[in-house]
Amino acid sequence: MIGALRRTSIVARIAIVVAVVALVAAVTVPPWVAHYQPVNVNVMFSSTGSVPQRTEVNDTVLSYRDNARIVLGMSVRNSGPFDATLTGYDDGPDAGVLKFVAIRTSSPARCCTWQTGRPAHFPLRIAAGTTIGLSIELRMTNCEDYGNVGDVGGGSVGYTELRFPMKTLGVHHVVAAPLASSEQIYIEMPGPLTRYCPRNRTSQP
């Protein structure tokens, strides 16, 4: 009887240890995998249409034009063992001057595929071990969030990286896509009273 009780006690202890290890793994492994999931975004080209621009200290500065379109083409490579899902585009901390409008995909990834890519939407699944071409259209907006009502403008907002919220194994995190110096976006903002900012108060979606 005593031997049976001891065996039962050992089995119970082993079960508890296994349960604790499984719980710790369930809590820690997915975030760890998500953090190190190798998803890389490489921006290959940009198109700013007819937006006025100038050069300042080797940087291209765009003049704000309400609802002007910027198109960025990139490749997205998921070299990890798990599928990843891009859940959206992060407007960033600067009041979202560049708002997401549309997304297109192509496979295999090729440069300059905005016209030939297929319309897509977020969330966007990137299968393990694959590369896709991705073009996103952004539009300038929210000029009224910069400066005072009587300000005539002159300040600028810079985008040196793109940020995409992502989900891997159910864990949310963000993948950043640094922009090369030739692809970085600087926008000279107008004041709310100028003709280039038609609004004084209400931010646009």
Side-chain angles (χ1 to χ4, degrees), residues 54 61-66 94-98 140-147 151-159 185-194 196-197 199:
R54 59 183 173 80
V61 181
L62 305 177
S63 297
Y64 179 91
R65 293 295 182 267
D66 205 44
D94 295 312
V97 175
L98 293 180
M140 296 183 188
T141 187
N142 288 359
C143 55
E144 70 277 15
D145 289 324
Y146 293 84
D151 192 358
V152 295
S156 63
V157 174
Y159 287 81
I185 302 170
Y186 295 91
I187 304 172
E188 185 175 38
M189 301 298 293
L193 289 186
T194 70
Y196 298 118
C197 183
R199 302 172 301 278

PDB file of all heavy atoms in Angstrom, residues 54 61-66 94-98 140-147 151-159 185-194 196-197 199:
ATOM      1  N   ARG A  54      11.271  69.586 -53.739  1.00  0.00           N
ATOM      2  CA  ARG A  54      12.539  70.306 -53.814  1.00  0.00           C
ATOM      3  C   ARG A  54      13.588  69.508 -53.046  1.00  0.00           C
ATOM      4  O   ARG A  54      13.258  68.598 -52.289  1.00  0.00           O
ATOM      5  CB  ARG A  54      12.398  71.716 -53.227  1.00  0.00           C
ATOM      6  CG  ARG A  54      11.950  71.729 -51.783  1.00  0.00           C
ATOM      7  CD  ARG A  54      11.752  73.141 -51.268  1.00  0.00           C
ATOM      8  NE  ARG A  54      11.160  73.165 -49.941  1.00  0.00           N
ATOM      9  CZ  ARG A  54      11.819  72.975 -48.810  1.00  0.00           C
ATOM     10  NH1 ARG A  54      13.128  72.741 -48.858  1.00  0.00           N
ATOM     11  NH2 ARG A  54      11.210  73.018 -47.651  1.00  0.00           N
ATOM     12  N   VAL A  61      12.123  66.889 -50.446  1.00  0.00           N
ATOM     13  CA  VAL A  61      11.021  67.372 -49.620  1.00  0.00           C
ATOM     14  C   VAL A  61       9.810  67.600 -50.510  1.00  0.00           C
ATOM     15  O   VAL A  61       9.873  68.352 -51.495  1.00  0.00           O
ATOM     16  CB  VAL A  61      11.394  68.678 -48.891  1.00  0.00           C
ATOM     17  CG1 VAL A  61      10.238  69.156 -48.027  1.00  0.00           C
ATOM     18  CG2 VAL A  61      12.648  68.470 -48.044  1.00  0.00           C
ATOM     19  N   LEU A  62       8.697  66.934 -50.185  1.00  0.00           N
ATOM     20  CA  LEU A  62       7.462  67.083 -50.949  1.00  0.00           C
ATOM     21  C   LEU A  62       6.620  68.197 -50.348  1.00  0.00           C
ATOM     22  O   LEU A  62       6.552  68.339 -49.129  1.00  0.00           O
ATOM     23  CB  LEU A  62       6.660  65.774 -50.919  1.00  0.00           C
ATOM     24  CG  LEU A  62       7.370  64.505 -51.384  1.00  0.00           C
ATOM     25  CD1 LEU A  62       6.457  63.299 -51.220  1.00  0.00           C
ATOM     26  CD2 LEU A  62       7.829  64.640 -52.824  1.00  0.00           C
ATOM     27  N   SER A  63       5.980  68.963 -51.201  1.00  0.00           N
ATOM     28  CA  SER A  63       5.035  69.965 -50.722  1.00  0.00           C
ATOM     29  C   SER A  63       3.700  69.288 -50.452  1.00  0.00           C
ATOM     30  O   SER A  63       3.226  68.487 -51.266  1.00  0.00           O
ATOM     31  CB  SER A  63       4.848  71.074 -51.766  1.00  0.00           C
ATOM     32  OG  SER A  63       6.062  71.760 -51.981  1.00  0.00           O
ATOM     33  N   TYR A  64       3.096  69.584 -49.308  1.00  0.00           N
ATOM     34  CA  TYR A  64       1.811  68.975 -48.982  1.00  0.00           C
ATOM     35  C   TYR A  64       0.751  69.424 -49.978  1.00  0.00           C
ATOM     36  O   TYR A  64       0.622  70.613 -50.292  1.00  0.00           O
ATOM     37  CB  TYR A  64       1.387  69.375 -47.573  1.00  0.00           C
ATOM     38  CG  TYR A  64       0.048  68.792 -47.174  1.00  0.00           C
ATOM     39  CD1 TYR A  64      -0.023  67.568 -46.526  1.00  0.00           C
ATOM     40  CD2 TYR A  64      -1.144  69.454 -47.473  1.00  0.00           C
ATOM     41  CE1 TYR A  64      -1.241  67.018 -46.175  1.00  0.00           C
ATOM     42  CE2 TYR A  64      -2.368  68.913 -47.131  1.00  0.00           C
ATOM     43  CZ  TYR A  64      -2.415  67.698 -46.474  1.00  0.00           C
ATOM     44  OH  TYR A  64      -3.628  67.156 -46.141  1.00  0.00           O
ATOM     45  N   ARG A  65       0.014  68.459 -50.489  1.00  0.00           N
ATOM     46  CA  ARG A  65      -1.149  68.740 -51.324  1.00  0.00           C
ATOM     47  C   ARG A  65      -2.256  67.815 -50.837  1.00  0.00           C
ATOM     48  O   ARG A  65      -2.106  66.600 -50.853  1.00  0.00           O
ATOM     49  CB  ARG A  65      -0.863  68.495 -52.819  1.00  0.00           C
ATOM     50  CG  ARG A  65       0.148  69.469 -53.401  1.00  0.00           C
ATOM     51  CD  ARG A  65      -0.375  70.899 -53.388  1.00  0.00           C
ATOM     52  NE  ARG A  65       0.547  71.842 -53.973  1.00  0.00           N
ATOM     53  CZ  ARG A  65       1.457  72.531 -53.293  1.00  0.00           C
ATOM     54  NH1 ARG A  65       1.584  72.343 -51.984  1.00  0.00           N
ATOM     55  NH2 ARG A  65       2.250  73.401 -53.902  1.00  0.00           N
ATOM     56  N   ASP A  66      -3.361  68.377 -50.427  1.00  0.00           N
ATOM     57  CA  ASP A  66      -4.418  67.597 -49.802  1.00  0.00           C
ATOM     58  C   ASP A  66      -4.867  66.459 -50.721  1.00  0.00           C
ATOM     59  O   ASP A  66      -5.217  66.686 -51.884  1.00  0.00           O
ATOM     60  CB  ASP A  66      -5.601  68.506 -49.468  1.00  0.00           C
ATOM     61  CG  ASP A  66      -6.431  67.959 -48.319  1.00  0.00           C
ATOM     62  OD1 ASP A  66      -5.834  67.510 -47.322  1.00  0.00           O
ATOM     63  OD2 ASP A  66      -7.669  67.994 -48.414  1.00  0.00           O
ATOM     64  N   ASP A  94       2.823  60.716 -36.006  1.00  0.00           N
ATOM     65  CA  ASP A  94       2.660  62.098 -36.438  1.00  0.00           C
ATOM     66  C   ASP A  94       1.286  62.378 -37.031  1.00  0.00           C
ATOM     67  O   ASP A  94       1.147  62.857 -38.147  1.00  0.00           O
ATOM     68  CB  ASP A  94       3.747  62.466 -37.449  1.00  0.00           C
ATOM     69  CG  ASP A  94       5.129  62.436 -36.829  1.00  0.00           C
ATOM     70  OD1 ASP A  94       5.289  63.005 -35.740  1.00  0.00           O
ATOM     71  OD2 ASP A  94       6.024  61.835 -37.435  1.00  0.00           O
ATOM     72  N   ALA A  95       0.252  62.046 -36.264  1.00  0.00           N
ATOM     73  CA  ALA A  95      -1.134  62.352 -36.641  1.00  0.00           C
ATOM     74  C   ALA A  95      -1.559  61.705 -37.947  1.00  0.00           C
ATOM     75  O   ALA A  95      -2.576  62.053 -38.513  1.00  0.00           O
ATOM     76  CB  ALA A  95      -1.352  63.866 -36.717  1.00  0.00           C
ATOM     77  N   GLY A  96      -0.779  60.759 -38.455  1.00  0.00           N
ATOM     78  CA  GLY A  96      -1.192  60.037 -39.650  1.00  0.00           C
ATOM     79  C   GLY A  96      -1.269  60.888 -40.888  1.00  0.00           C
ATOM     80  O   GLY A  96      -2.302  60.945 -41.552  1.00  0.00           O
ATOM     81  N   VAL A  97      -0.194  61.609 -41.217  1.00  0.00           N
ATOM     82  CA  VAL A  97      -0.194  62.446 -42.421  1.00  0.00           C
ATOM     83  C   VAL A  97      -0.409  61.594 -43.671  1.00  0.00           C
ATOM     84  O   VAL A  97      -1.139  61.971 -44.573  1.00  0.00           O
ATOM     85  CB  VAL A  97       1.133  63.225 -42.541  1.00  0.00           C
ATOM     86  CG1 VAL A  97       1.188  64.001 -43.842  1.00  0.00           C
ATOM     87  CG2 VAL A  97       1.281  64.160 -41.358  1.00  0.00           C
ATOM     88  N   LEU A  98       0.227  60.412 -43.724  1.00  0.00           N
ATOM     89  CA  LEU A  98       0.040  59.508 -44.854  1.00  0.00           C
ATOM     90  C   LEU A  98      -0.930  58.409 -44.454  1.00  0.00           C
ATOM     91  O   LEU A  98      -0.590  57.519 -43.682  1.00  0.00           O
ATOM     92  CB  LEU A  98       1.382  58.902 -45.279  1.00  0.00           C
ATOM     93  CG  LEU A  98       2.396  59.878 -45.877  1.00  0.00           C
ATOM     94  CD1 LEU A  98       3.675  59.153 -46.254  1.00  0.00           C
ATOM     95  CD2 LEU A  98       1.814  60.599 -47.088  1.00  0.00           C
ATOM     96  N   MET A 140      -1.990  62.012 -48.673  1.00  0.00           N
ATOM     97  CA  MET A 140      -1.706  63.056 -47.696  1.00  0.00           C
ATOM     98  C   MET A 140      -3.011  63.592 -47.110  1.00  0.00           C
ATOM     99  O   MET A 140      -3.961  63.870 -47.849  1.00  0.00           O
ATOM    100  CB  MET A 140      -0.942  64.210 -48.343  1.00  0.00           C
ATOM    101  CG  MET A 140       0.419  63.869 -48.870  1.00  0.00           C
ATOM    102  SD  MET A 140       1.251  65.343 -49.524  1.00  0.00           S
ATOM    103  CE  MET A 140       2.695  64.615 -50.299  1.00  0.00           C
ATOM    104  N   THR A 141      -3.041  63.759 -45.799  1.00  0.00           N
ATOM    105  CA  THR A 141      -4.214  64.312 -45.145  1.00  0.00           C
ATOM    106  C   THR A 141      -3.821  64.806 -43.753  1.00  0.00           C
ATOM    107  O   THR A 141      -2.661  64.762 -43.374  1.00  0.00           O
ATOM    108  CB  THR A 141      -5.349  63.269 -45.055  1.00  0.00           C
ATOM    109  OG1 THR A 141      -6.523  63.921 -44.559  1.00  0.00           O
ATOM    110  CG2 THR A 141      -4.994  62.140 -44.114  1.00  0.00           C
ATOM    111  N   ASN A 142      -4.807  65.308 -43.006  1.00  0.00           N
ATOM    112  CA  ASN A 142      -4.620  65.759 -41.626  1.00  0.00           C
ATOM    113  C   ASN A 142      -3.727  66.987 -41.499  1.00  0.00           C
ATOM    114  O   ASN A 142      -3.058  67.173 -40.484  1.00  0.00           O
ATOM    115  CB  ASN A 142      -4.061  64.634 -40.749  1.00  0.00           C
ATOM    116  CG  ASN A 142      -5.084  63.557 -40.471  1.00  0.00           C
ATOM    117  OD1 ASN A 142      -6.221  63.645 -40.917  1.00  0.00           O
ATOM    118  ND2 ASN A 142      -4.698  62.533 -39.751  1.00  0.00           N
ATOM    119  N   CYS A 143      -3.703  67.847 -42.514  1.00  0.00           N
ATOM    120  CA  CYS A 143      -2.873  69.045 -42.424  1.00  0.00           C
ATOM    121  C   CYS A 143      -3.309  69.957 -41.282  1.00  0.00           C
ATOM    122  O   CYS A 143      -2.504  70.706 -40.732  1.00  0.00           O
ATOM    123  CB  CYS A 143      -2.911  69.813 -43.744  1.00  0.00           C
ATOM    124  SG  CYS A 143      -4.587  70.243 -44.313  1.00  0.00           S
ATOM    125  N   GLU A 144      -4.581  69.867 -40.891  1.00  0.00           N
ATOM    126  CA  GLU A 144      -5.083  70.746 -39.833  1.00  0.00           C
ATOM    127  C   GLU A 144      -4.531  70.402 -38.458  1.00  0.00           C
ATOM    128  O   GLU A 144      -4.705  71.162 -37.504  1.00  0.00           O
ATOM    129  CB  GLU A 144      -6.624  70.706 -39.790  1.00  0.00           C
ATOM    130  CG  GLU A 144      -7.206  69.398 -39.297  1.00  0.00           C
ATOM    131  CD  GLU A 144      -7.298  68.343 -40.377  1.00  0.00           C
ATOM    132  OE1 GLU A 144      -6.667  68.506 -41.429  1.00  0.00           O
ATOM    133  OE2 GLU A 144      -7.997  67.347 -40.168  1.00  0.00           O
ATOM    134  N   ASP A 145      -3.861  69.262 -38.347  1.00  0.00           N
ATOM    135  CA  ASP A 145      -3.299  68.865 -37.059  1.00  0.00           C
ATOM    136  C   ASP A 145      -1.917  69.460 -36.817  1.00  0.00           C
ATOM    137  O   ASP A 145      -1.275  69.166 -35.810  1.00  0.00           O
ATOM    138  CB  ASP A 145      -3.216  67.336 -36.967  1.00  0.00           C
ATOM    139  CG  ASP A 145      -4.590  66.699 -36.819  1.00  0.00           C
ATOM    140  OD1 ASP A 145      -5.440  67.312 -36.147  1.00  0.00           O
ATOM    141  OD2 ASP A 145      -4.807  65.621 -37.369  1.00  0.00           O
ATOM    142  N   TYR A 146      -1.434  70.311 -37.732  1.00  0.00           N
ATOM    143  CA  TYR A 146      -0.107  70.895 -37.607  1.00  0.00           C
ATOM    144  C   TYR A 146      -0.193  72.406 -37.541  1.00  0.00           C
ATOM    145  O   TYR A 146      -0.826  73.039 -38.375  1.00  0.00           O
ATOM    146  CB  TYR A 146       0.772  70.466 -38.781  1.00  0.00           C
ATOM    147  CG  TYR A 146       1.055  68.984 -38.737  1.00  0.00           C
ATOM    148  CD1 TYR A 146       0.137  68.074 -39.263  1.00  0.00           C
ATOM    149  CD2 TYR A 146       2.199  68.497 -38.138  1.00  0.00           C
ATOM    150  CE1 TYR A 146       0.370  66.713 -39.192  1.00  0.00           C
ATOM    151  CE2 TYR A 146       2.438  67.136 -38.058  1.00  0.00           C
ATOM    152  CZ  TYR A 146       1.531  66.250 -38.581  1.00  0.00           C
ATOM    153  OH  TYR A 146       1.748  64.905 -38.498  1.00  0.00           O
ATOM    154  N   GLY A 147       0.455  72.977 -36.540  1.00  0.00           N
ATOM    155  CA  GLY A 147       0.472  74.418 -36.405  1.00  0.00           C
ATOM    156  C   GLY A 147      -0.822  74.957 -35.811  1.00  0.00           C
ATOM    157  O   GLY A 147      -1.787  74.241 -35.578  1.00  0.00           O
ATOM    158  N   ASP A 151      -1.261  79.816 -38.411  1.00  0.00           N
ATOM    159  CA  ASP A 151       0.063  79.437 -38.897  1.00  0.00           C
ATOM    160  C   ASP A 151       0.049  79.285 -40.411  1.00  0.00           C
ATOM    161  O   ASP A 151      -0.860  78.691 -40.979  1.00  0.00           O
ATOM    162  CB  ASP A 151       0.473  78.124 -38.239  1.00  0.00           C
ATOM    163  CG  ASP A 151       1.948  77.815 -38.451  1.00  0.00           C
ATOM    164  OD1 ASP A 151       2.617  78.604 -39.137  1.00  0.00           O
ATOM    165  OD2 ASP A 151       2.411  76.782 -37.935  1.00  0.00           O
ATOM    166  N   VAL A 152       1.079  79.813 -41.059  1.00  0.00           N
ATOM    167  CA  VAL A 152       1.162  79.665 -42.515  1.00  0.00           C
ATOM    168  C   VAL A 152       2.005  78.468 -42.906  1.00  0.00           C
ATOM    169  O   VAL A 152       2.261  78.241 -44.088  1.00  0.00           O
ATOM    170  CB  VAL A 152       1.754  80.939 -43.171  1.00  0.00           C
ATOM    171  CG1 VAL A 152       0.823  82.122 -42.970  1.00  0.00           C
ATOM    172  CG2 VAL A 152       3.140  81.236 -42.607  1.00  0.00           C
ATOM    173  N   GLY A 153       2.434  77.682 -41.957  1.00  0.00           N
ATOM    174  CA  GLY A 153       3.116  76.437 -42.277  1.00  0.00           C
ATOM    175  C   GLY A 153       4.622  76.561 -42.265  1.00  0.00           C
ATOM    176  O   GLY A 153       5.187  77.503 -41.735  1.00  0.00           O
ATOM    177  N   GLY A 154       5.265  75.598 -42.889  1.00  0.00           N
ATOM    178  CA  GLY A 154       6.713  75.588 -42.977  1.00  0.00           C
ATOM    179  C   GLY A 154       7.355  74.430 -42.258  1.00  0.00           C
ATOM    180  O   GLY A 154       8.484  74.061 -42.554  1.00  0.00           O
ATOM    181  N   GLY A 155       6.642  73.822 -41.280  1.00  0.00           N
ATOM    182  CA  GLY A 155       7.175  72.653 -40.609  1.00  0.00           C
ATOM    183  C   GLY A 155       7.106  71.433 -41.512  1.00  0.00           C
ATOM    184  O   GLY A 155       6.402  71.432 -42.520  1.00  0.00           O
ATOM    185  N   SER A 156       7.857  70.402 -41.163  1.00  0.00           N
ATOM    186  CA  SER A 156       7.856  69.213 -42.006  1.00  0.00           C
ATOM    187  C   SER A 156       7.713  67.951 -41.169  1.00  0.00           C
ATOM    188  O   SER A 156       8.004  67.944 -39.971  1.00  0.00           O
ATOM    189  CB  SER A 156       9.136  69.127 -42.844  1.00  0.00           C
ATOM    190  OG  SER A 156      10.261  69.002 -41.993  1.00  0.00           O
ATOM    191  N   VAL A 157       7.251  66.892 -41.820  1.00  0.00           N
ATOM    192  CA  VAL A 157       7.104  65.579 -41.201  1.00  0.00           C
ATOM    193  C   VAL A 157       7.918  64.600 -42.026  1.00  0.00           C
ATOM    194  O   VAL A 157       7.835  64.599 -43.261  1.00  0.00           O
ATOM    195  CB  VAL A 157       5.622  65.143 -41.164  1.00  0.00           C
ATOM    196  CG1 VAL A 157       5.495  63.715 -40.653  1.00  0.00           C
ATOM    197  CG2 VAL A 157       4.810  66.089 -40.304  1.00  0.00           C
ATOM    198  N   GLY A 158       8.712  63.769 -41.363  1.00  0.00           N
ATOM    199  CA  GLY A 158       9.554  62.826 -42.070  1.00  0.00           C
ATOM    200  C   GLY A 158       9.152  61.387 -41.813  1.00  0.00           C
ATOM    201  O   GLY A 158       8.831  61.007 -40.685  1.00  0.00           O
ATOM    202  N   TYR A 159       9.165  60.590 -42.864  1.00  0.00           N
ATOM    203  CA  TYR A 159       8.929  59.149 -42.769  1.00  0.00           C
ATOM    204  C   TYR A 159      10.206  58.436 -43.208  1.00  0.00           C
ATOM    205  O   TYR A 159      10.536  58.423 -44.396  1.00  0.00           O
ATOM    206  CB  TYR A 159       7.758  58.721 -43.651  1.00  0.00           C
ATOM    207  CG  TYR A 159       6.401  59.126 -43.111  1.00  0.00           C
ATOM    208  CD1 TYR A 159       5.916  60.409 -43.298  1.00  0.00           C
ATOM    209  CD2 TYR A 159       5.627  58.217 -42.411  1.00  0.00           C
ATOM    210  CE1 TYR A 159       4.679  60.781 -42.791  1.00  0.00           C
ATOM    211  CE2 TYR A 159       4.385  58.581 -41.903  1.00  0.00           C
ATOM    212  CZ  TYR A 159       3.914  59.859 -42.097  1.00  0.00           C
ATOM    213  OH  TYR A 159       2.699  60.225 -41.597  1.00  0.00           O
ATOM    214  N   ILE A 185      10.633  59.836 -47.057  1.00  0.00           N
ATOM    215  CA  ILE A 185       9.598  60.797 -47.427  1.00  0.00           C
ATOM    216  C   ILE A 185       9.572  61.938 -46.417  1.00  0.00           C
ATOM    217  O   ILE A 185       9.378  61.711 -45.221  1.00  0.00           O
ATOM    218  CB  ILE A 185       8.215  60.121 -47.469  1.00  0.00           C
ATOM    219  CG1 ILE A 185       8.228  58.963 -48.466  1.00  0.00           C
ATOM    220  CG2 ILE A 185       7.125  61.127 -47.829  1.00  0.00           C
ATOM    221  CD1 ILE A 185       6.994  58.093 -48.388  1.00  0.00           C
ATOM    222  N   TYR A 186       9.798  63.147 -46.921  1.00  0.00           N
ATOM    223  CA  TYR A 186       9.683  64.340 -46.082  1.00  0.00           C
ATOM    224  C   TYR A 186       8.614  65.234 -46.680  1.00  0.00           C
ATOM    225  O   TYR A 186       8.624  65.516 -47.885  1.00  0.00           O
ATOM    226  CB  TYR A 186      11.021  65.086 -46.005  1.00  0.00           C
ATOM    227  CG  TYR A 186      12.098  64.292 -45.312  1.00  0.00           C
ATOM    228  CD1 TYR A 186      12.952  63.456 -46.040  1.00  0.00           C
ATOM    229  CD2 TYR A 186      12.260  64.349 -43.934  1.00  0.00           C
ATOM    230  CE1 TYR A 186      13.926  62.706 -45.413  1.00  0.00           C
ATOM    231  CE2 TYR A 186      13.242  63.607 -43.287  1.00  0.00           C
ATOM    232  CZ  TYR A 186      14.071  62.783 -44.040  1.00  0.00           C
ATOM    233  OH  TYR A 186      15.035  62.037 -43.417  1.00  0.00           O
ATOM    234  N   ILE A 187       7.674  65.658 -45.860  1.00  0.00           N
ATOM    235  CA  ILE A 187       6.539  66.445 -46.342  1.00  0.00           C
ATOM    236  C   ILE A 187       6.520  67.780 -45.618  1.00  0.00           C
ATOM    237  O   ILE A 187       6.457  67.835 -44.381  1.00  0.00           O
ATOM    238  CB  ILE A 187       5.209  65.707 -46.099  1.00  0.00           C
ATOM    239  CG1 ILE A 187       5.248  64.321 -46.754  1.00  0.00           C
ATOM    240  CG2 ILE A 187       4.035  66.525 -46.635  1.00  0.00           C
ATOM    241  CD1 ILE A 187       4.049  63.459 -46.409  1.00  0.00           C
ATOM    242  N   GLU A 188       6.579  68.851 -46.380  1.00  0.00           N
ATOM    243  CA  GLU A 188       6.479  70.193 -45.801  1.00  0.00           C
ATOM    244  C   GLU A 188       5.005  70.519 -45.608  1.00  0.00           C
ATOM    245  O   GLU A 188       4.222  70.545 -46.560  1.00  0.00           O
ATOM    246  CB  GLU A 188       7.136  71.222 -46.718  1.00  0.00           C
ATOM    247  CG  GLU A 188       7.173  72.614 -46.113  1.00  0.00           C
ATOM    248  CD  GLU A 188       7.935  73.600 -46.979  1.00  0.00           C
ATOM    249  OE1 GLU A 188       7.816  73.503 -48.230  1.00  0.00           O
ATOM    250  OE2 GLU A 188       8.623  74.460 -46.437  1.00  0.00           O
ATOM    251  N   MET A 189       4.621  70.732 -44.346  1.00  0.00           N
ATOM    252  CA  MET A 189       3.220  70.916 -44.018  1.00  0.00           C
ATOM    253  C   MET A 189       2.789  72.373 -44.137  1.00  0.00           C
ATOM    254  O   MET A 189       3.548  73.279 -43.793  1.00  0.00           O
ATOM    255  CB  MET A 189       2.962  70.421 -42.597  1.00  0.00           C
ATOM    256  CG  MET A 189       3.297  68.965 -42.376  1.00  0.00           C
ATOM    257  SD  MET A 189       2.302  67.839 -43.383  1.00  0.00           S
ATOM    258  CE  MET A 189       0.684  68.106 -42.659  1.00  0.00           C
ATOM    259  N   PRO A 190       1.566  72.613 -44.611  1.00  0.00           N
ATOM    260  CA  PRO A 190       1.049  73.973 -44.694  1.00  0.00           C
ATOM    261  C   PRO A 190       0.376  74.378 -43.386  1.00  0.00           C
ATOM    262  O   PRO A 190       0.086  73.543 -42.535  1.00  0.00           O
ATOM    263  CB  PRO A 190       0.003  73.864 -45.808  1.00  0.00           C
ATOM    264  CG  PRO A 190      -0.548  72.484 -45.607  1.00  0.00           C
ATOM    265  CD  PRO A 190       0.628  71.634 -45.157  1.00  0.00           C
ATOM    266  N   GLY A 191       0.143  75.665 -43.208  1.00  0.00           N
ATOM    267  CA  GLY A 191      -0.647  76.106 -42.072  1.00  0.00           C
ATOM    268  C   GLY A 191      -2.117  75.936 -42.372  1.00  0.00           C
ATOM    269  O   GLY A 191      -2.534  75.874 -43.536  1.00  0.00           O
ATOM    270  N   PRO A 192      -2.962  75.850 -41.342  1.00  0.00           N
ATOM    271  CA  PRO A 192      -4.400  75.643 -41.558  1.00  0.00           C
ATOM    272  C   PRO A 192      -5.071  76.745 -42.379  1.00  0.00           C
ATOM    273  O   PRO A 192      -6.141  76.529 -42.931  1.00  0.00           O
ATOM    274  CB  PRO A 192      -4.963  75.595 -40.133  1.00  0.00           C
ATOM    275  CG  PRO A 192      -3.806  75.135 -39.293  1.00  0.00           C
ATOM    276  CD  PRO A 192      -2.608  75.758 -39.908  1.00  0.00           C
ATOM    277  N   LEU A 193      -4.458  77.940 -42.466  1.00  0.00           N
ATOM    278  CA  LEU A 193      -5.097  79.027 -43.218  1.00  0.00           C
ATOM    279  C   LEU A 193      -4.631  79.100 -44.671  1.00  0.00           C
ATOM    280  O   LEU A 193      -5.095  79.956 -45.416  1.00  0.00           O
ATOM    281  CB  LEU A 193      -4.825  80.376 -42.532  1.00  0.00           C
ATOM    282  CG  LEU A 193      -5.550  80.598 -41.198  1.00  0.00           C
ATOM    283  CD1 LEU A 193      -5.316  82.019 -40.704  1.00  0.00           C
ATOM    284  CD2 LEU A 193      -7.044  80.339 -41.336  1.00  0.00           C
ATOM    285  N   THR A 194      -3.729  78.221 -45.072  1.00  0.00           N
ATOM    286  CA  THR A 194      -3.272  78.270 -46.454  1.00  0.00           C
ATOM    287  C   THR A 194      -4.222  77.498 -47.350  1.00  0.00           C
ATOM    288  O   THR A 194      -5.001  76.661 -46.899  1.00  0.00           O
ATOM    289  CB  THR A 194      -1.862  77.676 -46.591  1.00  0.00           C
ATOM    290  OG1 THR A 194      -1.938  76.264 -46.377  1.00  0.00           O
ATOM    291  CG2 THR A 194      -0.899  78.281 -45.585  1.00  0.00           C
ATOM    292  N   TYR A 196      -3.550  75.172 -49.224  1.00  0.00           N
ATOM    293  CA  TYR A 196      -3.192  73.758 -49.314  1.00  0.00           C
ATOM    294  C   TYR A 196      -3.731  72.953 -48.136  1.00  0.00           C
ATOM    295  O   TYR A 196      -3.602  71.744 -48.105  1.00  0.00           O
ATOM    296  CB  TYR A 196      -1.675  73.605 -49.402  1.00  0.00           C
ATOM    297  CG  TYR A 196      -1.114  74.261 -50.640  1.00  0.00           C
ATOM    298  CD1 TYR A 196      -0.209  75.314 -50.531  1.00  0.00           C
ATOM    299  CD2 TYR A 196      -1.514  73.854 -51.916  1.00  0.00           C
ATOM    300  CE1 TYR A 196       0.290  75.938 -51.669  1.00  0.00           C
ATOM    301  CE2 TYR A 196      -1.013  74.470 -53.043  1.00  0.00           C
ATOM    302  CZ  TYR A 196      -0.111  75.510 -52.919  1.00  0.00           C
ATOM    303  OH  TYR A 196       0.369  76.130 -54.053  1.00  0.00           O
ATOM    304  N   CYS A 197      -4.300  73.628 -47.157  1.00  0.00           N
ATOM    305  CA  CYS A 197      -4.966  72.934 -46.058  1.00  0.00           C
ATOM    306  C   CYS A 197      -6.365  73.498 -45.923  1.00  0.00           C
ATOM    307  O   CYS A 197      -6.574  74.542 -45.313  1.00  0.00           O
ATOM    308  CB  CYS A 197      -4.199  73.099 -44.740  1.00  0.00           C
ATOM    309  SG  CYS A 197      -4.950  72.167 -43.378  1.00  0.00           S
ATOM    310  N   ARG A 199      -8.904  72.707 -44.228  1.00  0.00           N
ATOM    311  CA  ARG A 199      -9.648  72.500 -42.979  1.00  0.00           C
ATOM    312  C   ARG A 199      -8.949  73.184 -41.816  1.00  0.00           C
ATOM    313  O   ARG A 199      -7.732  73.329 -41.790  1.00  0.00           O
ATOM    314  CB  ARG A 199      -9.783  70.996 -42.683  1.00  0.00           C
ATOM    315  CG  ARG A 199     -10.483  70.224 -43.790  1.00  0.00           C
ATOM    316  CD  ARG A 199     -10.420  68.724 -43.538  1.00  0.00           C
ATOM    317  NE  ARG A 199      -9.056  68.235 -43.447  1.00  0.00           N
ATOM    318  CZ  ARG A 199      -8.297  67.938 -44.495  1.00  0.00           C
ATOM    319  NH1 ARG A 199      -8.784  68.075 -45.720  1.00  0.00           N
ATOM    320  NH2 ARG A 199      -7.072  67.494 -44.346  1.00  0.00           N
TER     321      ARG A 199
END
